[in-house]
Coordinates of all heavy atoms in Angstrom, one line a residue:
S142 N 163.8 153.2 77.3 CA 162.6 153.4 76.5 C 161.3 153.1 77.3 O 160.3 153.6 77.1 CB 162.6 152.6 75.2 OG 162.6 151.2 75.4
L143 N 161.5 152.2 78.2 CA 160.3 151.9 79.1 C 159.9 153.1 79.9 O 158.7 153.4 80.0 CB 160.6 150.7 80.0 CG 159.5 150.2 80.9 CD1 158.3 149.8 80.0 CD2 160.0 149.0 81.7
V144 N 160.9 153.8 80.4 CA 160.6 155.0 81.1 C 159.8 156.0 80.2 O 158.9 156.6 80.6 CB 161.9 155.7 81.7 CG1 161.6 157.0 82.3 CG2 162.5 154.7 82.8
G145 N 160.3 156.2 79.0 CA 159.7 157.1 78.1 C 158.2 156.7 77.8 O 157.3 157.5 77.7
S146 N 158.0 155.4 77.6 CA 156.6 155.0 77.4 C 155.7 155.2 78.6 O 154.6 155.5 78.4 CB 156.6 153.5 76.9 OG 157.1 152.7 77.9
E147 N 156.3 155.0 79.8 CA 155.5 155.2 81.0 C 155.1 156.7 81.1 O 154.0 157.0 81.6 CB 156.3 154.8 82.2 CG 156.4 153.3 82.3 CD 157.3 152.9 83.5 OE1 157.9 153.7 84.1 OE2 157.3 151.6 83.7
M148 N 156.0 157.6 80.6 CA 155.7 159.1 80.6 C 154.4 159.3 79.8 O 153.6 160.1 80.1 CB 156.8 159.9 80.1 CG 158.0 160.0 81.0 SD 159.4 160.8 80.3 CE 158.7 162.1 79.4
C149 N 154.3 158.6 78.7 CA 153.2 158.8 77.8 C 151.9 158.2 78.2 O 150.8 158.7 77.9 CB 153.5 158.2 76.4 SG 155.0 159.0 75.7
I150 N 152.0 157.2 79.1 CA 150.8 156.5 79.5 C 150.5 156.6 80.9 O 149.5 156.0 81.4 CB 150.8 155.0 79.0 CG1 152.0 154.3 79.6 CG2 150.8 154.9 77.5 CD1 152.1 152.8 79.3
R151 N 151.2 157.4 81.7 CA 151.0 157.5 83.1 C 149.6 158.0 83.4 O 149.0 158.7 82.6 CB 152.1 158.4 83.7 CG 151.9 159.9 83.3 CD 152.9 160.8 84.1 NE 152.8 162.1 83.6 CZ 153.7 162.7 82.9 NH1 154.8 162.2 82.6 NH2 153.4 164.0 82.5
D152 N 149.1 157.6 84.5 CA 147.8 158.0 84.9 C 146.7 157.5 84.0 O 145.6 158.0 84.0 CB 147.6 159.5 85.1 CG 148.6 160.1 86.1 OD1 148.9 159.4 87.1 OD2 149.1 161.2 85.9
R153 N 147.0 156.6 83.2 CA 146.0 156.0 82.3 C 145.9 154.5 82.6 O 146.9 153.8 82.8 CB 146.5 156.1 80.8 CG 146.7 157.5 80.4 CD 145.4 158.3 80.2 NE 145.7 159.7 80.0 CZ 144.9 160.6 80.6 NH1 143.9 160.3 81.3 NH2 145.2 161.9 80.4
D154 N 144.7 154.0 82.5 CA 144.5 152.6 82.8 C 144.5 151.8 81.4 O 143.5 151.3 81.0 CB 143.2 152.3 83.5 CG 143.3 152.8 85.0 OD1 144.4 152.6 85.6 OD2 142.3 153.2 85.5
M155 N 145.6 151.9 80.7 CA 145.7 151.2 79.5 C 145.9 149.8 79.7 O 146.7 149.4 80.6 CB 146.9 151.8 78.6 CG 146.6 153.2 78.0 SD 148.0 153.9 77.1 CE 148.1 152.7 75.8
S156 N 145.4 149.0 78.8 CA 145.6 147.5 78.9 C 147.0 147.2 78.7 O 147.8 147.9 78.2 CB 144.7 146.8 77.9 OG 145.2 147.1 76.6
E157 N 147.4 146.0 79.1 CA 148.8 145.5 78.9 C 149.1 145.4 77.4 O 150.2 145.8 77.0 CB 148.9 144.1 79.5 CG 150.3 143.6 79.4 CD 150.6 142.2 80.0 OE1 149.8 141.8 80.9 OE2 151.5 141.6 79.6
V158 N 148.1 145.1 76.6 CA 148.4 145.0 75.1 C 148.7 146.4 74.6 O 149.7 146.6 73.9 CB 147.1 144.4 74.4 CG1 147.2 144.6 72.9 CG2 147.0 142.9 74.7
R159 N 148.0 147.4 75.0 CA 148.2 148.7 74.5 C 149.5 149.3 75.1 O 150.2 150.0 74.4 CB 147.0 149.6 74.8 CG 145.8 149.2 73.9 CD 144.6 150.0 74.1 NE 143.5 149.6 73.2 CZ 142.3 149.3 73.6 NH1 141.9 149.3 74.8 NH2 141.4 148.9 72.7
Q160 N 149.8 149.0 76.3 CA 151.1 149.4 76.9 C 152.2 148.8 76.1 O 153.2 149.5 75.8 CB 151.1 149.0 78.3 CG 150.2 149.8 79.2 CD 150.3 149.4 80.7 OE1 151.4 149.1 81.1 NE2 149.2 149.4 81.3
R161 N 152.1 147.5 75.7 CA 153.1 146.8 75.0 C 153.4 147.5 73.6 O 154.5 147.6 73.1 CB 152.8 145.4 74.8 CG 153.0 144.6 76.1 CD 152.6 143.2 76.0 NE 153.5 142.5 75.1 CZ 153.2 141.3 74.6 NH1 152.2 140.6 75.0 NH2 154.1 140.7 73.7
I162 N 152.3 147.9 73.0 CA 152.3 148.6 71.7 C 153.1 149.9 71.8 O 154.0 150.2 71.0 CB 151.0 148.9 71.1 CG1 150.3 147.6 70.8 CG2 151.0 149.8 69.9 CD1 148.8 147.7 70.5
V163 N 152.8 150.7 72.9 CA 153.5 151.9 73.1 C 155.1 151.6 73.4 O 155.9 152.3 72.8 CB 153.0 152.7 74.3 CG1 153.8 153.9 74.7 CG2 151.5 153.2 73.9
V164 N 155.3 150.6 74.2 CA 156.7 150.3 74.5 C 157.4 149.9 73.2 O 158.6 150.3 72.9 CB 156.8 149.2 75.5 CG1 158.2 148.6 75.6 CG2 156.3 149.7 76.9
D165 N 156.8 149.1 72.4 CA 157.3 148.7 71.1 C 157.7 149.9 70.2 O 158.8 150.0 69.7 CB 156.4 147.8 70.4 CG 156.9 147.2 69.0 OD1 157.0 148.0 68.1 OD2 157.3 146.0 69.1
M166 N 156.7 150.8 70.1 CA 157.0 152.0 69.3 C 158.1 152.9 69.9 O 159.0 153.4 69.1 CB 155.7 152.8 69.2 CG 154.6 152.1 68.4 SD 153.1 153.1 68.2 CE 153.7 154.4 67.1
V167 N 158.2 153.1 71.2 CA 159.2 153.9 71.8 C 160.5 153.2 71.6 O 161.5 153.9 71.3 CB 158.9 154.1 73.3 CG1 160.1 154.8 74.0 CG2 157.7 155.0 73.5
F168 N 160.6 151.9 71.7 CA 161.8 151.2 71.5 C 162.3 151.3 70.1 O 163.5 151.6 69.8 CB 161.6 149.7 71.9 CG 162.9 148.9 71.7 CD1 163.9 148.9 72.7 CD2 163.1 148.1 70.6 CE1 165.1 148.2 72.6 CE2 164.3 147.4 70.5 CZ 165.2 147.4 71.5
N169 N 161.4 151.2 69.1 CA 161.7 151.3 67.7 C 162.1 152.7 67.3 O 163.0 152.9 66.5 CB 160.5 150.8 66.9 CG 160.8 150.8 65.4 OD1 160.3 151.6 64.7 ND2 161.7 149.9 64.9
L170 N 161.3 153.7 67.7 CA 161.5 155.1 67.3 C 162.5 155.9 68.1 O 163.0 156.9 67.7 CB 160.1 155.8 67.3 CG 159.1 155.3 66.3 CD1 157.7 155.7 66.7 CD2 159.4 155.9 64.9
G171 N 162.6 155.5 69.4 CA 163.2 156.4 70.3 C 162.2 157.3 70.9 O 161.2 157.6 70.2
L172 N 162.4 157.8 72.1 CA 161.3 158.6 72.8 C 161.1 159.9 72.0 O 159.9 160.3 71.8 CB 161.8 158.9 74.2 CG 160.8 159.8 75.0 CD1 159.4 159.1 75.1 CD2 161.3 160.1 76.4
S173 N 162.1 160.6 71.6 CA 161.9 161.9 71.0 C 161.1 161.8 69.7 O 160.1 162.6 69.4 CB 163.2 162.6 70.6 OG 164.0 161.8 69.8
R174 N 161.3 160.8 68.9 CA 160.5 160.6 67.7 C 159.0 160.1 68.0 O 158.1 160.6 67.4 CB 161.1 159.6 66.7 CG 162.3 160.2 66.0 CD 162.8 159.3 64.9 NE 164.1 159.7 64.5 CZ 165.1 158.9 64.3 NH1 164.9 157.6 64.4 NH2 166.3 159.3 64.0
F175 N 158.9 159.3 69.0 CA 157.6 158.8 69.4 C 156.8 160.0 69.9 O 155.6 160.1 69.6 CB 157.7 157.8 70.5 CG 156.3 157.3 71.1 CD1 155.5 156.5 70.3 CD2 155.8 157.9 72.2 CE1 154.3 156.2 70.8 CE2 154.6 157.5 72.7 CZ 153.8 156.7 72.0
L176 N 157.4 160.9 70.6 CA 156.6 162.1 71.1 C 156.1 163.0 70.0 O 155.2 163.8 70.3 CB 157.5 162.9 72.1 CG 157.8 162.1 73.4 CD1 158.7 163.0 74.3 CD2 156.5 161.8 74.2
N177 N 156.6 162.8 68.8 CA 156.1 163.5 67.6 C 154.7 163.0 67.2 O 154.0 163.6 66.4 CB 157.1 163.5 66.5 CG 158.3 164.3 66.7 OD1 158.2 165.4 67.4 ND2 159.4 163.9 66.2
F178 N 154.3 161.8 67.7 CA 153.0 161.2 67.4 C 152.0 161.9 68.3 O 151.2 161.2 69.0 CB 153.1 159.7 67.6 CG 153.7 159.0 66.5 CD1 155.1 159.0 66.3 CD2 152.9 158.2 65.7 CE1 155.7 158.2 65.3 CE2 153.5 157.5 64.6 CZ 154.9 157.5 64.5
K179 N 151.9 163.2 68.3 CA 151.1 164.0 69.3 C 149.6 163.6 69.1 O 148.9 163.4 70.1 CB 151.2 165.5 69.1 CG 152.6 166.0 69.5 CD 152.7 167.4 69.1 CE 154.0 168.1 69.5 NZ 155.2 167.3 69.7
L180 N 149.1 163.5 67.9 CA 147.7 163.1 67.7 C 147.4 161.7 68.2 O 146.3 161.4 68.7 CB 147.3 163.3 66.3 CG 147.4 164.8 65.7 CD1 147.1 164.9 64.3 CD2 146.4 165.7 66.5
A181 N 148.3 160.8 67.9 CA 148.1 159.4 68.4 C 148.1 159.3 69.9 O 147.3 158.7 70.5 CB 149.2 158.5 67.8
I182 N 149.1 160.0 70.5 CA 149.2 160.0 72.0 C 148.0 160.7 72.6 O 147.4 160.1 73.6 CB 150.4 160.8 72.4 CG1 151.7 160.0 72.0 CG2 150.4 161.0 73.9 CD1 153.0 160.7 72.1
N183 N 147.5 161.7 72.0 CA 146.3 162.4 72.5 C 145.1 161.4 72.4 O 144.3 161.3 73.3 CB 146.0 163.7 71.7 CG 144.8 164.4 72.3 OD1 144.8 164.8 73.5 ND2 143.8 164.6 71.5
A184 N 145.0 160.7 71.3 CA 143.9 159.8 71.1 C 143.9 158.7 72.1 O 142.9 158.2 72.7 CB 143.9 159.2 69.7
M185 N 145.1 158.2 72.4 CA 145.3 157.2 73.5 C 144.9 157.7 74.8 O 144.2 157.0 75.6 CB 146.8 156.7 73.6 CG 147.3 155.9 72.4 SD 149.0 155.5 72.6 CE 149.5 155.4 70.9
Q186 N 145.2 158.9 75.1 CA 144.8 159.5 76.4 C 143.3 159.7 76.5 O 142.7 159.6 77.6 CB 145.5 160.9 76.6 CG 147.0 160.7 76.8 CD 147.7 162.0 76.8 OE1 147.3 163.0 76.3 NE2 148.9 162.1 77.4
E187 N 142.7 159.9 75.3 CA 141.2 160.0 75.3 C 140.5 158.6 75.1 O 139.3 158.5 75.0 CB 140.8 160.9 74.1 CG 141.3 162.3 74.2 CD 140.7 163.1 75.4 OE1 139.5 162.9 75.7 OE2 141.4 163.9 76.0
E188 N 141.3 157.6 75.0 CA 140.8 156.2 74.9 C 140.1 156.1 73.5 O 139.2 155.3 73.4 CB 140.0 155.7 76.1 CG 140.9 155.7 77.3 CD 140.1 155.2 78.5 OE1 139.0 154.7 78.4 OE2 140.7 155.3 79.6
D189 N 140.5 156.8 72.6 CA 139.9 156.7 71.2 C 140.9 155.9 70.4 O 141.8 156.3 69.7 CB 139.8 158.1 70.6 CG 139.1 158.1 69.2 OD1 139.0 157.0 68.6 OD2 138.7 159.2 68.7
W190 N 140.8 154.5 70.5 CA 141.7 153.6 70.0 C 141.7 153.6 68.5 O 142.8 153.4 67.9 CB 141.4 152.2 70.5 CG 141.3 152.2 72.0 CD1 140.2 151.9 72.8 CD2 142.3 152.7 73.0 NE1 140.5 152.0 74.1 CE2 141.7 152.6 74.3 CE3 143.6 153.2 72.9 CZ2 142.4 152.9 75.4 CZ3 144.3 153.5 74.0 CH2 143.7 153.4 75.3
E191 N 140.5 153.8 67.8 CA 140.5 153.8 66.4 C 141.3 155.0 65.8 O 142.0 154.9 64.8 CB 139.1 153.8 65.9 CG 138.4 152.5 66.1 CD 137.1 152.3 65.4 OE1 136.8 153.1 64.5 OE2 136.3 151.4 65.8
E192 N 141.2 156.1 66.5 CA 141.9 157.3 66.1 C 143.4 157.1 66.3 O 144.2 157.6 65.5 CB 141.4 158.6 66.8 CG 142.1 159.9 66.4 CD 142.0 160.2 64.9 OE1 141.0 159.7 64.2 OE2 142.8 161.0 64.4
A193 N 143.7 156.5 67.4 CA 145.2 156.3 67.8 C 145.8 155.4 66.7 O 146.9 155.7 66.2 CB 145.3 155.6 69.1
A194 N 145.0 154.4 66.3 CA 145.5 153.5 65.2 C 145.6 154.2 63.9 O 146.6 154.0 63.2 CB 144.6 152.3 65.1
A195 N 144.7 155.0 63.6 CA 144.7 155.8 62.3 C 145.9 156.7 62.3 O 146.6 156.8 61.3 CB 143.4 156.6 62.1
Q196 N 146.2 157.3 63.4 CA 147.3 158.3 63.5 C 148.7 157.5 63.4 O 149.6 157.9 62.8 CB 147.3 159.1 64.8 CG 146.2 160.1 64.8 CD 146.3 161.1 63.7 OE1 147.3 161.5 63.2 NE2 145.1 161.5 63.1
M197 N 148.7 156.3 64.0 CA 149.9 155.4 63.9 C 150.1 155.1 62.4 O 151.3 155.1 61.9 CB 149.7 154.1 64.7 CG 149.7 154.3 66.2 SD 149.0 152.9 67.0 CE 150.1 151.5 66.5
M198 N 149.1 154.8 61.7 CA 149.2 154.4 60.3 C 149.5 155.6 59.3 O 150.1 155.4 58.3 CB 147.9 153.7 59.8 CG 147.7 152.3 60.5 SD 149.1 151.2 60.3 CE 149.3 151.0 58.5
D199 N 149.2 156.8 59.7 CA 149.4 157.9 58.9 C 150.8 158.5 59.3 O 150.9 159.6 59.8 CB 148.3 159.0 59.2 CG 148.4 160.2 58.3 OD1 149.0 160.1 57.2 OD2 147.9 161.2 58.6
S200 N 151.8 157.7 59.0 CA 153.1 158.1 59.4 C 154.2 157.5 58.5 O 153.9 156.5 57.9 CB 153.4 157.8 60.9 OG 153.4 156.4 61.0
R201 N 155.3 158.1 58.5 CA 156.5 157.5 57.8 C 156.9 156.2 58.5 O 157.3 155.3 57.9 CB 157.7 158.5 57.8 CG 158.7 158.2 56.8 CD 159.7 159.3 56.7 NE 160.5 159.3 57.9 CZ 161.4 160.3 58.1 NH1 161.6 161.3 57.3 NH2 162.1 160.3 59.3
W202 N 156.8 156.2 59.8 CA 157.1 155.0 60.6 C 156.3 153.7 60.0 O 156.8 152.7 59.8 CB 156.7 155.2 62.1 CG 156.7 153.9 62.9 CD1 157.8 153.2 63.4 CD2 155.5 153.2 63.3 NE1 157.3 152.1 64.1 CE2 156.0 152.1 64.0 CE3 154.2 153.4 63.1 CZ2 155.1 151.1 64.6 CZ3 153.3 152.4 63.6 CH2 153.7 151.3 64.4
A203 N 155.0 153.9 59.8 CA 154.1 152.9 59.3 C 154.6 152.4 57.9 O 154.7 151.2 57.6 CB 152.7 153.3 59.2
D204 N 155.1 153.4 57.1 CA 155.6 153.0 55.8 C 156.9 152.2 55.9 O 157.1 151.3 55.2 CB 155.9 154.2 54.9 CG 154.6 155.0 54.5 OD1 153.6 154.4 54.5 OD2 154.8 156.2 54.3
Q205 N 157.7 152.6 56.9 CA 159.0 151.9 57.1 C 158.9 150.5 57.7 O 159.6 149.6 57.3 CB 159.9 152.8 58.0 CG 160.3 154.1 57.3 CD 161.0 155.0 58.2 OE1 161.0 154.8 59.5 NE2 161.7 156.0 57.7
V206 N 157.9 150.3 58.6 CA 157.8 149.0 59.3 C 156.8 148.1 58.6 O 156.7 146.9 59.0 CB 157.6 149.1 60.8 CG1 158.8 149.9 61.4 CG2 156.3 149.7 61.1
G207 N 156.0 148.6 57.7 CA 155.1 147.8 56.9 C 154.1 147.0 57.8 O 153.3 147.6 58.5
Q208 N 154.1 145.7 57.6 CA 153.1 144.8 58.2 C 153.1 145.0 59.7 O 152.0 144.8 60.3 CB 153.3 143.4 57.8 CG 152.8 143.0 56.4 CD 151.3 143.4 56.3 OE1 150.9 144.3 55.6 NE2 150.5 142.6 57.0
R209 N 154.2 145.2 60.3 CA 154.2 145.4 61.8 C 153.3 146.6 62.2 O 152.6 146.4 63.2 CB 155.7 145.6 62.2 CG 155.8 145.6 63.7 CD 157.3 145.5 64.1 NE 157.6 146.5 65.0 CZ 158.8 147.1 65.1 NH1 159.7 146.8 64.2 NH2 159.0 148.1 65.9
A210 N 153.3 147.6 61.5 CA 152.5 148.8 61.8 C 151.0 148.4 61.7 O 150.2 148.7 62.5 CB 152.8 149.9 60.9
H211 N 150.7 147.6 60.6 CA 149.3 147.2 60.5 C 148.9 146.3 61.7 O 147.8 146.4 62.2 CB 149.1 146.4 59.2 CG 149.2 147.3 58.0 ND1 148.1 148.0 57.5 CD2 150.2 147.6 57.2 CE1 148.4 148.7 56.4 NE2 149.7 148.5 56.2
R212 N 149.8 145.4 62.1 CA 149.5 144.5 63.2 C 149.3 145.2 64.5 O 148.4 145.0 65.2 CB 150.6 143.5 63.3 CG 150.4 142.4 64.4 CD 151.6 141.4 64.3 NE 152.8 141.9 64.6 CZ 153.4 142.1 65.8 NH1 152.7 141.7 66.9 NH2 154.6 142.6 66.0
L213 N 150.2 146.2 64.7 CA 150.1 147.0 66.0 C 148.9 147.9 66.0 O 148.2 148.1 67.0 CB 151.4 147.8 66.2 CG 152.7 147.0 66.4 CD1 153.8 147.9 66.6 CD2 152.5 146.1 67.7
A214 N 148.5 148.5 64.8 CA 147.3 149.3 64.8 C 146.1 148.5 65.0 O 145.2 149.0 65.7 CB 147.3 150.0 63.4
K215 N 146.0 147.3 64.4 CA 144.9 146.4 64.6 C 144.8 146.0 66.1 O 143.7 146.0 66.7 CB 145.0 145.2 63.7 CG 143.9 144.2 63.9 CD 144.1 143.0 63.0 CE 143.0 142.0 63.2 NZ 143.2 140.7 62.7
A216 N 145.9 145.8 66.7 CA 146.0 145.4 68.1 C 145.5 146.6 69.0 O 144.8 146.4 70.0 CB 147.4 144.9 68.5
M217 N 145.9 147.8 68.6 CA 145.4 149.0 69.3 C 143.9 149.1 69.4 O 143.3 149.3 70.4 CB 146.0 150.3 68.7 CG 145.7 151.5 69.4 SD 146.4 151.7 71.1 CE 148.1 151.9 70.8
I218 N 143.3 148.8 68.2 CA 141.8 148.9 68.1 C 141.2 147.7 68.9 O 140.3 147.9 69.7 CB 141.4 148.8 66.7 CG1 141.8 150.1 66.0 CG2 139.8 148.7 66.6 CD1 141.6 150.1 64.5
E219 N 141.7 146.5 68.7 CA 141.0 145.3 69.2 C 141.5 144.9 70.6 O 140.9 144.0 71.2 CB 141.3 144.1 68.2 CG 140.7 144.3 66.9 CD 141.0 143.2 65.9 OE1 141.8 142.3 66.3 OE2 140.4 143.3 64.8
D220 N 142.5 145.5 71.1 CA 143.1 145.2 72.4 C 143.5 143.8 72.5 O 143.3 143.1 73.5 CB 142.1 145.6 73.5 CG 142.8 145.7 74.9 OD1 144.1 145.9 74.9 OD2 142.1 145.5 75.9
Q221 N 144.0 143.3 71.4 CA 144.5 141.9 71.3 C 145.7 141.8 70.4 O 145.5 142.2 69.2 CB 143.3 141.0 70.8 CG 143.7 139.5 70.8 CD 142.5 138.7 70.5 OE1 141.4 139.1 70.5 NE2 142.8 137.4 70.2
L222 N 146.8 141.3 70.8 CA 148.0 141.3 70.1 C 148.2 139.8 69.5 O 148.3 138.9 70.3 CB 149.2 141.7 70.9 CG 150.5 142.0 70.2 CD1 150.3 143.1 69.2 CD2 151.5 142.5 71.2
E223 N 148.2 139.7 68.2 CA 148.4 138.4 67.6 C 149.9 138.1 67.7 O 150.8 138.9 67.6 CB 148.0 138.5 66.1 CG 146.6 138.7 65.9 CD 146.2 138.8 64.5 OE1 147.0 138.5 63.6 OE2 145.1 139.2 64.2
V224 N 150.2 136.8 68.0 CA 151.5 136.3 68.2 C 152.1 135.9 66.8 O 151.5 135.5 66.0 CB 151.6 135.2 69.2 CG1 153.0 134.7 69.3 CG2 151.0 135.6 70.5

């Protein structure tokens, strides 16, 4: 899954926090399902963190993982992951 996440963020200077969020999502969803987050991935590539977070939350994944999705979306915006 790490290789898959690197494919999505290559050539991007994403912070370690945001890279960890992508790795978490790829690990949870699998690469093929994560790649369906086209709008979120595009927003990440454009460094539009609020849109990336909004797209993360507008998904069945967010409904399924609940508070974890809220925590990761907040971290995507703030570039800070709460422990």
Side-chain angles (χ1 to χ4, degrees):
S142 67
L143 183 58
V144 172
S146 61
E147 287 175 354
M148 287 173 42
C149 299
I150 58 177
R151 68 174 178 249
D152 301 327
R153 303 284 169 222
D154 289 326
M155 286 178 62
S156 70
E157 182 179 339
V158 168
R159 291 181 175 127
Q160 289 178 39
R161 288 177 61 194
I162 293 166
V163 171
V164 169
D165 184 284
M166 291 181 71
V167 170
F168 183 80
N169 182 251
L170 292 161
L172 180 59
S173 61
R174 287 191 195 136
F175 175 77
L176 291 175
N177 288 328
F178 281 73
K179 291 176 181 17
L180 296 175
I182 293 168
N183 185 60
M185 290 177 209
Q186 291 172 337
E187 298 294 323
E188 299 183 9
D189 185 347
W190 310 120
E191 290 188 18
E192 180 63 19
Q196 292 300 325
M197 289 165 60
M198 293 305 300
D199 186 23
S200 67
R201 196 169 72 185
W202 166 80
D204 294 336
Q205 292 172 344
V206 300
Q208 280 303 112
R209 187 163 128 217
H211 288 277
R212 184 174 61 87
L213 294 177
K215 181 180 178 194
M217 181 64 74
I218 294 168
E219 297 177 354
D220 196 24
Q221 183 172 348
L222 194 57
E223 295 176 11
V224 179

